[in-house]
Amino acid sequence: MARVDLSELNESISIATYSSLLKVDPVIFNLPENSTREYIQPTQLQGQIFAPRALSKDSSTPLVLLLHGRHADCRSYLKTEDPALPLYPWDVGVVNANGTCPTGTEVVKSYRGFDYLGQALAQEGYIAVSIDLLLLNHALPEPGDPDLVSARARLLLRTLELLNFWDMNGQRSFTDLGFDISKSIDFHNIGIMGHSRGGNAARRAYNIINSPDSMSKPELRRWGSTLNVSFAGIFEVASYDESYSEGIFNVIGVPWALLEPGCDHDIADFSALKVLQRQSRLNTEPNHLISLYGGDHSYFNTEWPYAIDVCLGDQNLTWSSHGSFKVLYLGDTFNVPLVTDSPSQRATLKWALMAFMKGYVGQNATVYRLLPILGVEIGRADPNLGTAKILQDFRNTSKVITTPRGLLVETIGDHAINSIQEYSLQVQKYGWPPTALPPQQNTSDFPQLGYNSTTDEGAVVTLTSATATIEIEVDSLSKVTPGKPDCTLQIDIARRDTCYLASSQIVRHRCSKPLNLKVKLTAGGETSSTSILKSRFNVEWGFVDVCSHQSTFVLRWLTEKIVGLQAIGSE
């Protein structure tokens, strides 16, 4: 086990890089340990570990595992005309079976992109491990595991076995790491943060341990009987929903959170919101959603230096560029911004992750109050319908009354069915957003308002005038009890336009329509202050305290449709 001791970098924490020998491990691919299959991708246990220097030998230190996503394996450098940025990192290429890049390029160390998180967690009393998944990035797909998400999850479990070995062997821990972590880890207080495909792997690892029979292909190894661990919380960042062939996975029984960037160039259909919809109904433990408007997919990881701007809607970017260079993609040329990182985006992830882990992971975990973070626009929601009283699910529109009369009111399902053709016509009329990737086949590839009758209840009101009143009749509102948790009335309201917006600093495309929709909510005879709904390719939330004796309501507009009224139009 090779190591690089980095402990001198920080007086309060110990840091080391660990690396096992490269070898064939059939278990990673759900094969028998003595498998004779002709080719199996070699893997290794490698990563970065961060630990407080003052460790108690009482198995009380909580553990947080960090999983990066899939990215190019190798890096070269491009010359630019900007003197402030003479060489720009350009990530292309794939390592060979031994983890080596082609001559003239270097390995992209994606797992080092979370050093800032590992250090912050260790300073707060956690042992954090950022796991290297390089050799699984572009390995051949496995039956039932085309994206190798399950393979990533098993490599995480193998890492837990290694940590358990160090926890029981102080001398080997010191030899391998340069410091002793033995008898310190609380294996029943483990949190996982996964970015992109790593978020899916976090969700998958939780299910392998807690519900192995949910896997589309049965696990040959019963990890739960050989690995005595418990996960206390799962935090996903810009992840996605699995294909149905792999099975549908949820995190049931522990707190779960999703941090979703608003300008995700990689997962442009925001499919993680489907996971959110399921979580909100199935998981009775707390669920949290944080929306980072203007955030990109890549800049959470400091090793991922660039992105293609595909902001849809009115969002202010969390990053700025040094200019751009042209890239040929799918036969068309695009301006790619010269960006190396986004400090505000990193700060947002650290802010949210620390609050989540301190609130749920550890023997001394307690509710942690989030302080405002400056410089970015953030939406927050706690979609926990599994424990909420649903007053109106809008499966029909009979109790939605509008002024002026005659406004079109549809269920989400009817709207989705009726609007797809209109959506395609709008794309044909106005063209694709200037900085969005081109369709590979036809306009149906553009992200659409998807509809799932089992999860998408809601009503859509099409506004035709500058002002309108929408009344929602709720028979059971009088049943709420002052002083009880059900005194918060939660309504989901959003606005959408047929007009597309791009927030690029290179290409600015603005619609002729107003960008904001002004909204007030009234309940129990009291009216809220005015809130603004921007035009974005998402939806937003609001909360109203209907049992307060004060005359004002607290309104926060957040992402994703769960239950409520959806408004389309502009003031």
Side-chain angles (χ1 to χ4, degrees):
M1 177 72 68
R3 69 175 175 87
V4 179
D5 188 0
L6 304 172
S7 301
E8 69 277 4
L9 297 180
N10 193 298
E11 294 182 355
S12 64
I13 65 177
S14 299
I15 308 173
T17 300
Y18 65 90
S19 181
S20 68
L21 294 176
L22 190 73
K23 69 175 185 178
V24 171
D25 184 0
V27 171
I28 295 294
F29 303 100
N30 200 25
L31 298 170
E33 294 200 41
N34 60 352
S35 175
T36 59
R37 196 173 77 175
E38 182 177 353
Y39 178 77
I40 300 175
Q41 168 69 42
T43 56
Q44 67 181 144
L45 299 181
Q46 179 167 279
Q48 193 89 335
I49 185 168
F50 310 81
R53 291 213 169 183
L55 283 173
S56 300
K57 298 293 184 177
D58 59 359
S59 301
S60 64
T61 305
L63 174 66
V64 177
L65 304 175
L66 308 174
L67 296 177
H68 65 80
R70 182 177 183 263
H71 188 71
D73 295 341
C74 304
R75 173 171 296 161
S76 59
Y77 292 88
L78 302 179
K79 291 184 179 181
T80 73
E81 298 177 356
D82 188 341
L85 198 68
L87 292 176
Y88 186 73
W90 184 246
D91 296 350
V92 293
V94 178
V95 296
N96 60 23
N98 296 319
T100 303
C101 283
T103 302
T105 62
E106 61 187 45
V107 171
V108 178
K109 297 180 179 179
S110 293
Y111 72 100
R112 295 297 305 273
F114 295 134
D115 281 4
Y116 72 101
L117 297 176
Q119 293 178 31
L121 287 161
Q123 288 169 348
E124 291 292 336
Y126 294 86
I127 292 176
V129 180
S130 184
I131 300 173
D132 186 6
L133 301 167
L134 171 71
L135 291 168
L136 295 176
N137 272 347
H138 298 92
L140 295 174
E142 293 286 326
D145 191 21
D147 293 339
L148 296 183
V149 173
S150 292
R152 285 169 165 77
R154 296 185 200 102
L155 197 144
L156 177 151
L157 299 178
R158 280 297 206 199
T159 301
L160 283 175
E161 291 180 334
L162 177 61
L163 289 166
N164 186 62
F165 172 75
W166 284 330
D167 192 68
M168 295 187 297
N169 296 272
Q171 185 57 49
R172 279 298 302 272
S173 169
F174 186 83
T175 300
D176 293 343
L177 301 174
F179 49 89
D180 181 9
I181 63 170
S182 65
K183 298 181 176 61
S184 63
I185 302 176
D186 182 354
F187 284 98
H188 295 287
N189 265 294
I190 301 174
I192 310 177
M193 188 287 294
H195 173 218
S196 190
R197 196 166 296 190
N200 294 56
R203 198 184 322 141
R204 195 75 59 90
Y206 179 84
N207 281 273
I208 290 176
I209 291 293
N210 293 282
S211 55
D213 294 333
S214 67
M215 309 301 291
S216 59
K217 182 179 180 181
E219 289 289 306
L220 297 182
R221 182 172 187 177
R222 307 302 283 189
W223 294 88
S225 61
T226 60
L227 195 57
N228 185 19
V229 298
S230 301
F231 298 117
I234 306 296
F235 191 103
E236 300 183 27
V237 181
S239 54
Y240 64 95
D241 199 18
E242 289 92 354
S243 66
Y244 287 95
S245 63
E246 298 175 79
I248 301 300
F249 297 94
N250 306 290
V251 175
I252 309 300
V254 298
W256 176 88
L258 171 67
L259 173 56
E260 186 76 353
C263 300
D264 194 323
H265 78 279
D266 192 2
I267 307 174
D269 63 352
F270 301 102
S271 68
L273 299 181
K274 297 179 183 178
V275 182
L276 175 74
Q277 290 173 337
R278 297 196 302 269
Q279 286 292 129
S280 70
R281 287 162 170 77
L282 301 175
N283 187 26
T284 56
E285 294 297 317
N287 301 296
H288 301 283
L289 172 66
I290 297 175
S291 299
L292 173 58
Y293 295 118
D296 179 72
H297 186 85
S298 296
Y299 298 134
F300 299 109
N301 189 312
T302 60
E303 290 295 309
W304 295 8
Y306 60 85
I308 299 175
D309 174 11
V310 288
C311 290
L312 300 178
D314 190 27
Q315 304 184 59
N316 295 318
L317 300 179
T318 63
W319 41 272
S320 59
S321 69
H322 301 275
S324 65
F325 60 93
K326 294 187 182 299
V327 171
L328 183 66
Y329 185 83
L330 296 179
D332 286 335
T333 300
F334 292 89
N335 289 323
V336 177
L338 287 168
V339 179
T340 54
D341 66 354
S342 171
S344 62
Q345 191 159 325
R346 294 199 308 272
T348 302
L349 173 54
K350 185 170 74 171
W351 165 81
L353 181 66
M354 295 302 300
F356 181 84
M357 294 302 171
K358 291 175 72 173
Y360 298 118
V361 180
Q363 296 178 15
N364 297 319
T366 184
V367 176
Y368 185 76
R369 185 176 181 83
L370 281 174
L371 298 176
I373 186 168
L374 302 178
V376 293
E377 186 179 5
I378 292 173
R380 292 169 52 190
D382 304 302
N384 298 294
L385 296 182
T387 56
K389 180 190 297 181
I390 298 178
L391 304 178
Q392 173 65 273
D393 61 13
F394 301 100
R395 289 184 180 273
N396 64 70
T397 61
S398 61
K399 294 188 176 181
V400 180
I401 303 170
T402 66
T403 304
R405 300 281 181 175
L407 295 181
L408 178 61
V409 182
E410 304 170 283
T411 65
I412 287 276
D414 288 341
H415 174 73
I417 293 170
N418 296 334
S419 66
I420 288 177
Q421 180 63 33
E422 178 186 349
Y423 190 95
S424 298
L425 291 174
Q426 292 292 335
V427 172
Q428 295 172 24
K429 182 177 179 179
Y430 296 108
W432 286 72
T435 55
L437 296 180
Q440 297 185 36
Q441 295 179 345
N442 53 53
T443 55
S444 64
D445 290 330
F446 194 80
Q448 296 178 355
L449 174 63
Y451 173 62
N452 184 329
S453 61
T454 63
T455 57
D456 291 349
E457 299 91 7
V460 178
V461 180
T462 301
L463 304 182
T464 57
S465 60
T467 59
T469 299
I470 303 170
E471 297 181 17
I472 306 167
E473 294 184 10
V474 182
D475 295 334
S476 57
L477 185 59
S478 60
K479 297 179 182 179
V480 298
T481 306
K484 299 295 183 180
D486 60 7
C487 283
T488 297
L489 173 65
Q490 177 173 293
I491 187 168
D492 167 15
I493 183 170
R495 58 84 53 86
R496 291 181 185 271
D497 278 310
T498 56
C499 189
Y500 304 121
L501 303 166
S503 299
S504 171
Q505 294 187 359
I506 300 171
V507 179
R508 304 292 291 187
H509 172 67
R510 293 299 186 190
C511 299
S512 58
K513 294 184 178 181
L515 299 181
N516 296 325
L517 176 69
K518 295 181 179 180
V519 178
K520 287 185 178 182
L521 295 183
T522 300
E526 299 183 32
T527 302
S528 72
S529 57
T530 300
S531 185
I532 301 297
L533 294 183
K534 293 185 177 181
S535 177
R536 295 178 172 132
F537 193 78
N538 60 5
V539 290
E540 308 193 1
W541 286 66
F543 294 86
V544 179
D545 183 355
V546 296
C547 299
S548 172
H549 296 294
Q550 299 178 358
S551 60
T552 59
F553 294 106
V554 178
L555 288 182
R556 295 178 294 173
W557 301 105
L558 312 164
T559 55
E560 182 48 42
K561 186 208 69 59
I562 299 297
V563 170
L565 182 67
Q566 192 176 50
I568 293 184
S570 56
E571 183 184 23

